[in-house]
Amino acid sequence: MTKIIVDDKEIDVPAEYTLLQACEEAGAEIPRFCFHERLSIAGNCRMCLIEVKGGPPKPAASCAMAVRDLRPGPNGEPPQVFTNTPMVKKAREGVMEFLLINHPLDCPICDQGGECDLQDQAMGYGIDTSRYHENKRAVEDKYIGPLVKTSMNRCIHCTRCVRFTAEVAGTGDMGATGRGEDMEITTYLETAMTSELQGNIADLCPVGALLPKPQNFRARPWEMQKTEGIDVMDALGSNIRIDTRGREVMRILPRVNDAVNEEWISDKTRQIVDGLKTQRLDRPYVRESGKLRAASWQEAFAVVASKVKASSPEKIGAIAGDLATVEEMFSLKLLMDKLGSKNIDCRQDGTKLDPRNGRASYLFNSTIAGIDEADCLLIVGSNPRKEAPVLNARIRKRWLKGSFMIGVIGEKSDLTYEYQYMGAGAETLTSSATKPPEGAKKPMLVIGQGALVRADGAALLAAAAKVSRAAGGADGWNGFNVLHTAASRVGGLDIGFVPGEGGLDVAAMAKGGVDILFNLGADEIEIAPGAFVVYLGTHGDKGAHRADVILPGAAYTEKSGTYVNMEGRVQMSPRAAFPPGDAREDWAILRALSGVLGQALPFDSLMQLRKALYEAVPHMARVDRIEAGDVTDIAKLAAAGGAPTSAPFKNAIEDFYLTNPIARASAVMAECSALANGRMQQAAE
Amino acid sequence: MTVRRLAQKQPESFDFTPENKVWCEREIAKYPKGRQASAVIPLLWKAQAQHQYWLPQRAIEKVGQMLGMPYIRVLEIATFYSMFNLEPVGKHFIQMCGTTPCMLRGSNDIKAVLEKRIGEQRHVSADGKFAWLEVECLGACCNAPMVQINDDYYEDLTPENFNKLLDDLAEGKPVKKGSQIGRTSSEPEPGKANALNDATLYDGSVVGSWQQRFAEARAAEKEAAEKAAAEKAAAAAAEKK
């Protein structure tokens, strides 16, 4: 720790801190454009100038100078810097004047208006007139993909976007061509960006040069209601901010949570917004002579009740989909209990994870933040880039720090970091090649759904546990990790939404093992003809097409719910908007249906439901915390054994952009998907 | 400088010749593992030399593939340095120095020749043989004015010998590189080989002659002061009388 005096206030900071960080520590606000906490330092905007006593007689860029670079005073006093002297103010005003020379005065028609760093800082350091009489620089707008609109006249060349794609996303899409006044920010010959995190560059852009294209000219930031929610597009549970205007969700932005998504969200998380509005189920439907007909709630419930009455408990089943909240799965489980059925399953992809093996057997035990500490990683049957892009960026971040060996067993793909390709299937997993490098204290193994959904998934899970056990690791380190793809999965497994003793699993139910099937938003499963399907969901997707009765539910932005992410972190998301038409929150529909079925559930409000849930599963009450799995579960799992087949692993997600009904309803995602497929075809040729 | 873009008309493909490939491999091997990108400028330079002194899109991509760099990183470099030509430059690409020493020694005349014979800058002449560009100092000031044609310097130019040089190049005749008036690098002109023995160089009449100005000024000042003092003394004496 080093002492430094900032504006006559002495503070103690680590020597490697930049002056900017030290000033912030001392409570001084430093304006900046190019500096960003999570990117490398460029030092090219010069807005963060401060005065250094005893330094050169010119202002210093505080972002690019470290505390340890400063010399002490003549009598050994701590170095002194100033952030509010006339010299500093004049210097920053000079920088601002230069920045504004070529910046168009189009704030009234700029979408960034109201949340623009340049606008805000011009209020502090700008002057009200221009001394510049020459023509302004004009730059052609570039096409850089379907998610980000460019307006390059506004660009101030901070290069945040270039550094983001090069460092965090790892695709190196953006670059700065030309030099001096002719410098231009662009992708290679205006091709679309290839990263799954590209939307973040619009957030990073301190001016209105890069803006989210789908939200073009839609709303002003001050008109929108901000709700802090949780994302369900993957199992990461990214923290998001849902901006709504009236009943409409306008946009989704990331929230900072260093333990989960840092500051990034994937493109799917950000841009499925239009999918929330299209293809929605807004009233109940009943199938009559092969055709779906709009009906009232009473009619729909009556049809279901008559069917249930005519059936027997062992012929009733329930499947929960990938986007369900813990509350509604808990309600459905209670209802099935009351009906006397043991046929429930939340694993529509058929993954062989089972809560009976203990909680550690299905969690991302090392935690997401734990990736930063890990010293080697083995990825089995997974493509984290598609299954959880933000998590993949975290792996890349660890890889960039160096001395991080990564091995991959499964499909070869571009993960944005270098890895050692070890093999395609189980025989590599069970061989000695999986031994981590000598001296590894925190080895990680990540097994994906690609391996676990196979018929021999249980044997593979055991084999992976064995590898993870053999790799050892420091005390308190659990290196066994399951990478989930569904936001509801861990929550479902936590509350035991799996077949009871003698109950049918998802495959048996879908193949016609039951007469009546309650489908809670499972749209990625083929249900054989024959069964009477009650679909409770949001979109007119596969599940609704197969349904005999449709009960319109609420999408994740339209209901308050609990989600458990892949590391076991319980997170709660409040309601940001209202479901369309007659649609209702799912738990309320189930409660109403239970009344009609004569098996009323024991709660009348979400509060009561949660109380019952917390009694049954206490850790659900500990929001934002992780209930760690028991390490001994891994040992037990490893002992289970089994003989995996030699077929090569196939990744769980083929099309990142179209994994759930909301995304499939989104035109923006469809465009992204078409572009990505086009690239894949081109690469194949 | 203006905005630099890739040429509209691009060749279908680009590949290094076998010799150049070997050269490139040697160049890449100079850098430690993981730092291969350091070879990007030599490789682009070679690609340009192989491809009539301009870089097509395919060459940029080829270099990117060879060094494992995203294409945009290579494009950034190709557009940053003006030594990389992104458009065809004819058979003989003339870079004319217009910086102060050359300008003082008559580069404006050279420029007039170029404008007359070839036309505007950055345009290939109708016969496809020439293109020219005014550049900043090429570091041959003692032989100013000068131009660089492809890889070689042509110095001590006058409109006459420069016109002849261009004629010879156009006809494919052999030309003399370096000084066009027979100097060896920047030694004195032929026939003036004894210039350094010239006595006037050392007697202060030529070199350092400007310093005489100060001596003269000082003498004049002294004289004036003496004159003023004498006048004052005379006036005082007259008053006494």
Side-chain angles (χ1 to χ4, degrees), chain A residues 140 162 172-179 182 184 186-189, chain B residues 1-3 5-6 57 61 70-73 75-76 79-80 82:
Chain A
E140 287 164 34
V162 178
D173 288 323
M174 304 286 290
T177 63
R179 62 166 143 162
D182 303 312
E184 292 181 307
T186 178
T187 55
Y188 182 67
L189 305 179
Chain B
M1 288 290 291
T2 51
V3 175
R5 298 259 196 266
L6 297 187
Q57 180 191 337
E61 285 163 10
Y71 294 162
I72 180 74
R73 292 281 98 79
L75 184 75
E76 280 178 334
T79 53
F80 184 93
S82 54

PDB file of all heavy atoms in Angstrom, chain A residues 140 162 172-179 182 184 186-189, chain B residues 1-3 5-6 57 61 70-73 75-76 79-80 82:
ATOM      1  N   GLU A 140     -18.350   7.744 -43.088  1.00  0.00           N
ATOM      2  CA  GLU A 140     -19.423   6.863 -43.564  1.00  0.00           C
ATOM      3  C   GLU A 140     -19.877   5.945 -42.438  1.00  0.00           C
ATOM      4  O   GLU A 140     -19.053   5.423 -41.693  1.00  0.00           O
ATOM      5  CB  GLU A 140     -18.902   5.993 -44.713  1.00  0.00           C
ATOM      6  CG  GLU A 140     -18.699   6.749 -46.002  1.00  0.00           C
ATOM      7  CD  GLU A 140     -17.831   5.964 -46.976  1.00  0.00           C
ATOM      8  OE1 GLU A 140     -17.914   4.732 -46.991  1.00  0.00           O
ATOM      9  OE2 GLU A 140     -17.064   6.608 -47.700  1.00  0.00           O
ATOM     10  N   VAL A 162     -13.356  -1.745 -29.809  1.00  0.00           N
ATOM     11  CA  VAL A 162     -12.267  -2.538 -30.371  1.00  0.00           C
ATOM     12  C   VAL A 162     -11.650  -3.399 -29.277  1.00  0.00           C
ATOM     13  O   VAL A 162     -11.414  -4.595 -29.453  1.00  0.00           O
ATOM     14  CB  VAL A 162     -11.189  -1.618 -30.988  1.00  0.00           C
ATOM     15  CG1 VAL A 162     -10.039  -2.429 -31.523  1.00  0.00           C
ATOM     16  CG2 VAL A 162     -11.791  -0.756 -32.074  1.00  0.00           C
ATOM     17  N   GLY A 172     -12.208 -10.451 -31.941  1.00  0.00           N
ATOM     18  CA  GLY A 172     -11.447  -9.466 -32.707  1.00  0.00           C
ATOM     19  C   GLY A 172     -12.210  -8.956 -33.909  1.00  0.00           C
ATOM     20  O   GLY A 172     -11.666  -8.847 -35.002  1.00  0.00           O
ATOM     21  N   ASP A 173     -13.484  -8.640 -33.712  1.00  0.00           N
ATOM     22  CA  ASP A 173     -14.303  -8.217 -34.838  1.00  0.00           C
ATOM     23  C   ASP A 173     -14.015  -6.779 -35.250  1.00  0.00           C
ATOM     24  O   ASP A 173     -13.955  -6.458 -36.421  1.00  0.00           O
ATOM     25  CB  ASP A 173     -15.791  -8.313 -34.476  1.00  0.00           C
ATOM     26  CG  ASP A 173     -16.253  -9.741 -34.399  1.00  0.00           C
ATOM     27  OD1 ASP A 173     -15.775 -10.537 -35.218  1.00  0.00           O
ATOM     28  OD2 ASP A 173     -17.077 -10.055 -33.539  1.00  0.00           O
ATOM     29  N   MET A 174     -13.889  -5.909 -34.263  1.00  0.00           N
ATOM     30  CA  MET A 174     -13.789  -4.491 -34.561  1.00  0.00           C
ATOM     31  C   MET A 174     -12.329  -4.072 -34.673  1.00  0.00           C
ATOM     32  O   MET A 174     -11.447  -4.682 -34.073  1.00  0.00           O
ATOM     33  CB  MET A 174     -14.433  -3.669 -33.441  1.00  0.00           C
ATOM     34  CG  MET A 174     -15.874  -4.006 -33.140  1.00  0.00           C
ATOM     35  SD  MET A 174     -16.991  -3.403 -34.377  1.00  0.00           S
ATOM     36  CE  MET A 174     -16.925  -1.656 -34.130  1.00  0.00           C
ATOM     37  N   GLY A 175     -12.120  -3.001 -35.425  1.00  0.00           N
ATOM     38  CA  GLY A 175     -10.775  -2.479 -35.545  1.00  0.00           C
ATOM     39  C   GLY A 175     -10.826  -1.022 -35.951  1.00  0.00           C
ATOM     40  O   GLY A 175     -11.890  -0.490 -36.286  1.00  0.00           O
ATOM     41  N   ALA A 176      -9.670  -0.370 -35.927  1.00  0.00           N
ATOM     42  CA  ALA A 176      -9.587   1.025 -36.325  1.00  0.00           C
ATOM     43  C   ALA A 176      -8.693   1.098 -37.554  1.00  0.00           C
ATOM     44  O   ALA A 176      -7.506   0.826 -37.466  1.00  0.00           O
ATOM     45  CB  ALA A 176      -9.009   1.857 -35.196  1.00  0.00           C
ATOM     46  N   THR A 177      -9.275   1.440 -38.691  1.00  0.00           N
ATOM     47  CA  THR A 177      -8.470   1.535 -39.904  1.00  0.00           C
ATOM     48  C   THR A 177      -8.061   2.985 -40.124  1.00  0.00           C
ATOM     49  O   THR A 177      -8.658   3.901 -39.571  1.00  0.00           O
ATOM     50  CB  THR A 177      -9.250   1.054 -41.137  1.00  0.00           C
ATOM     51  OG1 THR A 177     -10.359   1.925 -41.318  1.00  0.00           O
ATOM     52  CG2 THR A 177      -9.759  -0.354 -40.962  1.00  0.00           C
ATOM     53  N   GLY A 178      -7.065   3.159 -40.962  1.00  0.00           N
ATOM     54  CA  GLY A 178      -6.590   4.500 -41.254  1.00  0.00           C
ATOM     55  C   GLY A 178      -5.898   5.084 -40.040  1.00  0.00           C
ATOM     56  O   GLY A 178      -5.635   4.399 -39.060  1.00  0.00           O
ATOM     57  N   ARG A 179      -5.579   6.365 -40.120  1.00  0.00           N
ATOM     58  CA  ARG A 179      -4.937   6.986 -38.971  1.00  0.00           C
ATOM     59  C   ARG A 179      -5.238   8.469 -38.950  1.00  0.00           C
ATOM     60  O   ARG A 179      -5.726   9.039 -39.920  1.00  0.00           O
ATOM     61  CB  ARG A 179      -3.442   6.754 -39.007  1.00  0.00           C
ATOM     62  CG  ARG A 179      -2.783   7.360 -40.223  1.00  0.00           C
ATOM     63  CD  ARG A 179      -1.285   7.400 -40.038  1.00  0.00           C
ATOM     64  NE  ARG A 179      -0.601   7.117 -41.284  1.00  0.00           N
ATOM     65  CZ  ARG A 179       0.669   7.421 -41.501  1.00  0.00           C
ATOM     66  NH1 ARG A 179       1.389   7.989 -40.575  1.00  0.00           N
ATOM     67  NH2 ARG A 179       1.232   7.151 -42.654  1.00  0.00           N
ATOM     68  N   ASP A 182      -8.288  10.443 -40.359  1.00  0.00           N
ATOM     69  CA  ASP A 182      -8.998   9.483 -41.207  1.00  0.00           C
ATOM     70  C   ASP A 182      -9.254   8.157 -40.513  1.00  0.00           C
ATOM     71  O   ASP A 182      -9.657   7.195 -41.143  1.00  0.00           O
ATOM     72  CB  ASP A 182      -8.193   9.237 -42.484  1.00  0.00           C
ATOM     73  CG  ASP A 182      -7.950  10.523 -43.221  1.00  0.00           C
ATOM     74  OD1 ASP A 182      -8.931  11.264 -43.400  1.00  0.00           O
ATOM     75  OD2 ASP A 182      -6.803  10.820 -43.585  1.00  0.00           O
ATOM     76  N   GLU A 184     -11.005   5.267 -38.713  1.00  0.00           N
ATOM     77  CA  GLU A 184     -12.397   4.842 -38.733  1.00  0.00           C
ATOM     78  C   GLU A 184     -12.545   3.548 -37.955  1.00  0.00           C
ATOM     79  O   GLU A 184     -11.708   2.655 -38.071  1.00  0.00           O
ATOM     80  CB  GLU A 184     -12.854   4.591 -40.170  1.00  0.00           C
ATOM     81  CG  GLU A 184     -12.945   5.841 -40.995  1.00  0.00           C
ATOM     82  CD  GLU A 184     -13.430   5.536 -42.400  1.00  0.00           C
ATOM     83  OE1 GLU A 184     -12.833   4.660 -43.053  1.00  0.00           O
ATOM     84  OE2 GLU A 184     -14.392   6.156 -42.819  1.00  0.00           O
ATOM     85  N   THR A 186     -14.418   0.133 -37.559  1.00  0.00           N
ATOM     86  CA  THR A 186     -15.210  -0.708 -38.452  1.00  0.00           C
ATOM     87  C   THR A 186     -14.914  -2.178 -38.187  1.00  0.00           C
ATOM     88  O   THR A 186     -13.993  -2.509 -37.448  1.00  0.00           O
ATOM     89  CB  THR A 186     -14.910  -0.369 -39.933  1.00  0.00           C
ATOM     90  OG1 THR A 186     -15.654  -1.239 -40.768  1.00  0.00           O
ATOM     91  CG2 THR A 186     -13.437  -0.525 -40.246  1.00  0.00           C
ATOM     92  N   THR A 187     -15.705  -3.043 -38.797  1.00  0.00           N
ATOM     93  CA  THR A 187     -15.353  -4.458 -38.817  1.00  0.00           C
ATOM     94  C   THR A 187     -14.610  -4.707 -40.118  1.00  0.00           C
ATOM     95  O   THR A 187     -14.503  -3.807 -40.959  1.00  0.00           O
ATOM     96  CB  THR A 187     -16.602  -5.346 -38.784  1.00  0.00           C
ATOM     97  OG1 THR A 187     -17.446  -4.966 -39.871  1.00  0.00           O
ATOM     98  CG2 THR A 187     -17.364  -5.173 -37.491  1.00  0.00           C
ATOM     99  N   TYR A 188     -14.117  -5.919 -40.317  1.00  0.00           N
ATOM    100  CA  TYR A 188     -13.371  -6.203 -41.524  1.00  0.00           C
ATOM    101  C   TYR A 188     -14.290  -6.086 -42.737  1.00  0.00           C
ATOM    102  O   TYR A 188     -15.214  -6.889 -42.905  1.00  0.00           O
ATOM    103  CB  TYR A 188     -12.745  -7.603 -41.460  1.00  0.00           C
ATOM    104  CG  TYR A 188     -11.914  -7.917 -42.680  1.00  0.00           C
ATOM    105  CD1 TYR A 188     -10.740  -7.220 -42.924  1.00  0.00           C
ATOM    106  CD2 TYR A 188     -12.308  -8.882 -43.581  1.00  0.00           C
ATOM    107  CE1 TYR A 188      -9.972  -7.487 -44.032  1.00  0.00           C
ATOM    108  CE2 TYR A 188     -11.544  -9.157 -44.707  1.00  0.00           C
ATOM    109  CZ  TYR A 188     -10.375  -8.445 -44.925  1.00  0.00           C
ATOM    110  OH  TYR A 188      -9.622  -8.704 -46.029  1.00  0.00           O
ATOM    111  N   LEU A 189     -14.081  -5.065 -43.537  1.00  0.00           N
ATOM    112  CA  LEU A 189     -14.855  -4.815 -44.757  1.00  0.00           C
ATOM    113  C   LEU A 189     -16.354  -4.857 -44.512  1.00  0.00           C
ATOM    114  O   LEU A 189     -17.130  -5.389 -45.306  1.00  0.00           O
ATOM    115  CB  LEU A 189     -14.468  -5.828 -45.845  1.00  0.00           C
ATOM    116  CG  LEU A 189     -12.975  -5.867 -46.162  1.00  0.00           C
ATOM    117  CD1 LEU A 189     -12.710  -6.906 -47.225  1.00  0.00           C
ATOM    118  CD2 LEU A 189     -12.473  -4.508 -46.620  1.00  0.00           C
TER     119      LEU A 189
ATOM    120  N   MET B   1      -3.059  13.089 -46.345  1.00  0.00           N
ATOM    121  CA  MET B   1      -3.693  11.766 -46.226  1.00  0.00           C
ATOM    122  C   MET B   1      -5.198  11.883 -46.466  1.00  0.00           C
ATOM    123  O   MET B   1      -5.832  12.835 -46.084  1.00  0.00           O
ATOM    124  CB  MET B   1      -3.483  11.199 -44.817  1.00  0.00           C
ATOM    125  CG  MET B   1      -2.086  10.764 -44.533  1.00  0.00           C
ATOM    126  SD  MET B   1      -1.615   9.295 -45.428  1.00  0.00           S
ATOM    127  CE  MET B   1      -2.611   8.051 -44.648  1.00  0.00           C
ATOM    128  N   THR B   2      -5.718  10.879 -47.073  1.00  0.00           N
ATOM    129  CA  THR B   2      -7.168  10.791 -47.206  1.00  0.00           C
ATOM    130  C   THR B   2      -7.593   9.415 -46.735  1.00  0.00           C
ATOM    131  O   THR B   2      -6.758   8.578 -46.440  1.00  0.00           O
ATOM    132  CB  THR B   2      -7.597  10.968 -48.672  1.00  0.00           C
ATOM    133  OG1 THR B   2      -6.828  10.062 -49.446  1.00  0.00           O
ATOM    134  CG2 THR B   2      -7.379  12.369 -49.175  1.00  0.00           C
ATOM    135  N   VAL B   3      -8.894   9.208 -46.676  1.00  0.00           N
ATOM    136  CA  VAL B   3      -9.388   7.887 -46.275  1.00  0.00           C
ATOM    137  C   VAL B   3      -8.904   6.864 -47.279  1.00  0.00           C
ATOM    138  O   VAL B   3      -9.005   7.068 -48.487  1.00  0.00           O
ATOM    139  CB  VAL B   3     -10.923   7.905 -46.218  1.00  0.00           C
ATOM    140  CG1 VAL B   3     -11.455   6.517 -45.930  1.00  0.00           C
ATOM    141  CG2 VAL B   3     -11.383   8.891 -45.175  1.00  0.00           C
ATOM    142  N   ARG B   5      -9.134   3.118 -48.804  1.00  0.00           N
ATOM    143  CA  ARG B   5      -9.981   1.927 -48.899  1.00  0.00           C
ATOM    144  C   ARG B   5      -9.318   0.920 -49.835  1.00  0.00           C
ATOM    145  O   ARG B   5      -8.460   1.282 -50.639  1.00  0.00           O
ATOM    146  CB  ARG B   5     -11.345   2.295 -49.480  1.00  0.00           C
ATOM    147  CG  ARG B   5     -12.118   3.277 -48.639  1.00  0.00           C
ATOM    148  CD  ARG B   5     -13.170   2.545 -47.844  1.00  0.00           C
ATOM    149  NE  ARG B   5     -14.150   3.483 -47.321  1.00  0.00           N
ATOM    150  CZ  ARG B   5     -14.085   4.028 -46.116  1.00  0.00           C
ATOM    151  NH1 ARG B   5     -13.086   3.722 -45.319  1.00  0.00           N
ATOM    152  NH2 ARG B   5     -15.007   4.866 -45.708  1.00  0.00           N
ATOM    153  N   LEU B   6      -9.766  -0.310 -49.746  1.00  0.00           N
ATOM    154  CA  LEU B   6      -9.251  -1.313 -50.668  1.00  0.00           C
ATOM    155  C   LEU B   6      -9.733  -0.991 -52.079  1.00  0.00           C
ATOM    156  O   LEU B   6     -10.771  -0.350 -52.256  1.00  0.00           O
ATOM    157  CB  LEU B   6      -9.734  -2.700 -50.265  1.00  0.00           C
ATOM    158  CG  LEU B   6      -9.251  -3.197 -48.907  1.00  0.00           C
ATOM    159  CD1 LEU B   6      -9.664  -4.638 -48.698  1.00  0.00           C
ATOM    160  CD2 LEU B   6      -7.740  -3.075 -48.769  1.00  0.00           C
ATOM    161  N   GLN B  57      -6.954  -7.442 -51.462  1.00  0.00           N
ATOM    162  CA  GLN B  57      -7.666  -7.953 -50.285  1.00  0.00           C
ATOM    163  C   GLN B  57      -7.200  -9.364 -49.934  1.00  0.00           C
ATOM    164  O   GLN B  57      -6.983  -9.694 -48.776  1.00  0.00           O
ATOM    165  CB  GLN B  57      -9.168  -7.944 -50.574  1.00  0.00           C
ATOM    166  CG  GLN B  57     -10.010  -8.448 -49.426  1.00  0.00           C
ATOM    167  CD  GLN B  57     -11.453  -8.682 -49.859  1.00  0.00           C
ATOM    168  OE1 GLN B  57     -11.904  -8.097 -50.838  1.00  0.00           O
ATOM    169  NE2 GLN B  57     -12.163  -9.514 -49.136  1.00  0.00           N
ATOM    170  N   GLU B  61      -5.756 -11.072 -46.416  1.00  0.00           N
ATOM    171  CA  GLU B  61      -6.340 -12.244 -45.775  1.00  0.00           C
ATOM    172  C   GLU B  61      -5.315 -13.366 -45.649  1.00  0.00           C
ATOM    173  O   GLU B  61      -5.244 -14.063 -44.640  1.00  0.00           O
ATOM    174  CB  GLU B  61      -7.579 -12.706 -46.556  1.00  0.00           C
ATOM    175  CG  GLU B  61      -8.756 -11.775 -46.308  1.00  0.00           C
ATOM    176  CD  GLU B  61      -9.880 -11.900 -47.317  1.00  0.00           C
ATOM    177  OE1 GLU B  61      -9.849 -12.843 -48.131  1.00  0.00           O
ATOM    178  OE2 GLU B  61     -10.782 -11.037 -47.288  1.00  0.00           O
ATOM    179  N   PRO B  70      -6.814 -12.015 -36.697  1.00  0.00           N
ATOM    180  CA  PRO B  70      -8.070 -11.623 -37.335  1.00  0.00           C
ATOM    181  C   PRO B  70      -7.768 -10.675 -38.497  1.00  0.00           C
ATOM    182  O   PRO B  70      -6.855  -9.856 -38.403  1.00  0.00           O
ATOM    183  CB  PRO B  70      -8.824 -10.889 -36.226  1.00  0.00           C
ATOM    184  CG  PRO B  70      -8.187 -11.317 -34.957  1.00  0.00           C
ATOM    185  CD  PRO B  70      -6.761 -11.643 -35.288  1.00  0.00           C
ATOM    186  N   TYR B  71      -8.533 -10.807 -39.577  1.00  0.00           N
ATOM    187  CA  TYR B  71      -8.259  -9.995 -40.774  1.00  0.00           C
ATOM    188  C   TYR B  71      -8.248  -8.503 -40.471  1.00  0.00           C
ATOM    189  O   TYR B  71      -7.472  -7.745 -41.035  1.00  0.00           O
ATOM    190  CB  TYR B  71      -9.310 -10.272 -41.856  1.00  0.00           C
ATOM    191  CG  TYR B  71      -9.270 -11.680 -42.407  1.00  0.00           C
ATOM    192  CD1 TYR B  71     -10.350 -12.201 -43.098  1.00  0.00           C
ATOM    193  CD2 TYR B  71      -8.151 -12.479 -42.244  1.00  0.00           C
ATOM    194  CE1 TYR B  71     -10.320 -13.493 -43.614  1.00  0.00           C
ATOM    195  CE2 TYR B  71      -8.105 -13.769 -42.745  1.00  0.00           C
ATOM    196  CZ  TYR B  71      -9.189 -14.273 -43.429  1.00  0.00           C
ATOM    197  OH  TYR B  71      -9.158 -15.534 -43.930  1.00  0.00           O
ATOM    198  N   ILE B  72      -9.143  -8.095 -39.555  1.00  0.00           N
ATOM    199  CA  ILE B  72      -9.232  -6.658 -39.281  1.00  0.00           C
ATOM    200  C   ILE B  72      -7.919  -6.123 -38.725  1.00  0.00           C
ATOM    201  O   ILE B  72      -7.521  -4.999 -39.002  1.00  0.00           O
ATOM    202  CB  ILE B  72     -10.419  -6.361 -38.326  1.00  0.00           C
ATOM    203  CG1 ILE B  72     -10.561  -4.870 -38.017  1.00  0.00           C
ATOM    204  CG2 ILE B  72     -10.290  -7.093 -37.017  1.00  0.00           C
ATOM    205  CD1 ILE B  72     -11.108  -4.055 -39.125  1.00  0.00           C
ATOM    206  N   ARG B  73      -7.191  -6.967 -37.960  1.00  0.00           N
ATOM    207  CA  ARG B  73      -5.901  -6.519 -37.402  1.00  0.00           C
ATOM    208  C   ARG B  73      -4.908  -6.229 -38.530  1.00  0.00           C
ATOM    209  O   ARG B  73      -4.134  -5.286 -38.465  1.00  0.00           O
ATOM    210  CB  ARG B  73      -5.324  -7.590 -36.478  1.00  0.00           C
ATOM    211  CG  ARG B  73      -6.077  -7.836 -35.202  1.00  0.00           C
ATOM    212  CD  ARG B  73      -5.773  -6.772 -34.159  1.00  0.00           C
ATOM    213  NE  ARG B  73      -6.826  -5.751 -34.147  1.00  0.00           N
ATOM    214  CZ  ARG B  73      -7.998  -5.893 -33.555  1.00  0.00           C
ATOM    215  NH1 ARG B  73      -8.258  -6.990 -32.881  1.00  0.00           N
ATOM    216  NH2 ARG B  73      -8.902  -4.945 -33.612  1.00  0.00           N
ATOM    217  N   LEU B  75      -5.781  -5.518 -41.652  1.00  0.00           N
ATOM    218  CA  LEU B  75      -6.293  -4.369 -42.408  1.00  0.00           C
ATOM    219  C   LEU B  75      -5.925  -3.055 -41.722  1.00  0.00           C
ATOM    220  O   LEU B  75      -5.600  -2.071 -42.381  1.00  0.00           O
ATOM    221  CB  LEU B  75      -7.819  -4.481 -42.549  1.00  0.00           C
ATOM    222  CG  LEU B  75      -8.475  -3.393 -43.390  1.00  0.00           C
ATOM    223  CD1 LEU B  75      -8.201  -3.640 -44.868  1.00  0.00           C
ATOM    224  CD2 LEU B  75      -9.965  -3.316 -43.152  1.00  0.00           C
ATOM    225  N   GLU B  76      -5.996  -3.070 -40.378  1.00  0.00           N
ATOM    226  CA  GLU B  76      -5.624  -1.868 -39.619  1.00  0.00           C
ATOM    227  C   GLU B  76      -4.213  -1.430 -39.998  1.00  0.00           C
ATOM    228  O   GLU B  76      -3.954  -0.255 -40.237  1.00  0.00           O
ATOM    229  CB  GLU B  76      -5.645  -2.172 -38.112  1.00  0.00           C
ATOM    230  CG  GLU B  76      -7.010  -2.166 -37.491  1.00  0.00           C
ATOM    231  CD  GLU B  76      -6.960  -2.524 -36.006  1.00  0.00           C
ATOM    232  OE1 GLU B  76      -6.016  -3.224 -35.583  1.00  0.00           O
ATOM    233  OE2 GLU B  76      -7.865  -2.121 -35.285  1.00  0.00           O
ATOM    234  N   THR B  79      -3.891  -0.192 -43.663  1.00  0.00           N
ATOM    235  CA  THR B  79      -4.442   1.141 -43.923  1.00  0.00           C
ATOM    236  C   THR B  79      -3.705   2.219 -43.149  1.00  0.00           C
ATOM    237  O   THR B  79      -3.774   3.383 -43.490  1.00  0.00           O
ATOM    238  CB  THR B  79      -5.937   1.220 -43.555  1.00  0.00           C
ATOM    239  OG1 THR B  79      -6.096   0.766 -42.217  1.00  0.00           O
ATOM    240  CG2 THR B  79      -6.791   0.394 -44.486  1.00  0.00           C
ATOM    241  N   PHE B  80      -3.007   1.823 -42.086  1.00  0.00           N
ATOM    242  CA  PHE B  80      -2.317   2.822 -41.259  1.00  0.00           C
ATOM    243  C   PHE B  80      -1.083   3.362 -41.971  1.00  0.00           C
ATOM    244  O   PHE B  80      -0.852   4.558 -42.026  1.00  0.00           O
ATOM    245  CB  PHE B  80      -1.918   2.191 -39.925  1.00  0.00           C
ATOM    246  CG  PHE B  80      -1.284   3.152 -38.959  1.00  0.00           C
ATOM    247  CD1 PHE B  80      -2.062   3.815 -38.034  1.00  0.00           C
ATOM    248  CD2 PHE B  80       0.082   3.407 -38.986  1.00  0.00           C
ATOM    249  CE1 PHE B  80      -1.485   4.712 -37.146  1.00  0.00           C
ATOM    250  CE2 PHE B  80       0.651   4.300 -38.102  1.00  0.00           C
ATOM    251  CZ  PHE B  80      -0.134   4.960 -37.170  1.00  0.00           C
ATOM    252  N   SER B  82       1.272   4.460 -44.922  1.00  0.00           N
ATOM    253  CA  SER B  82       1.103   4.887 -46.310  1.00  0.00           C
ATOM    254  C   SER B  82       2.048   4.135 -47.229  1.00  0.00           C
ATOM    255  O   SER B  82       1.951   4.207 -48.442  1.00  0.00           O
ATOM    256  CB  SER B  82       1.327   6.390 -46.426  1.00  0.00           C
ATOM    257  OG  SER B  82       2.580   6.714 -45.875  1.00  0.00           O
TER     258      SER B  82
END
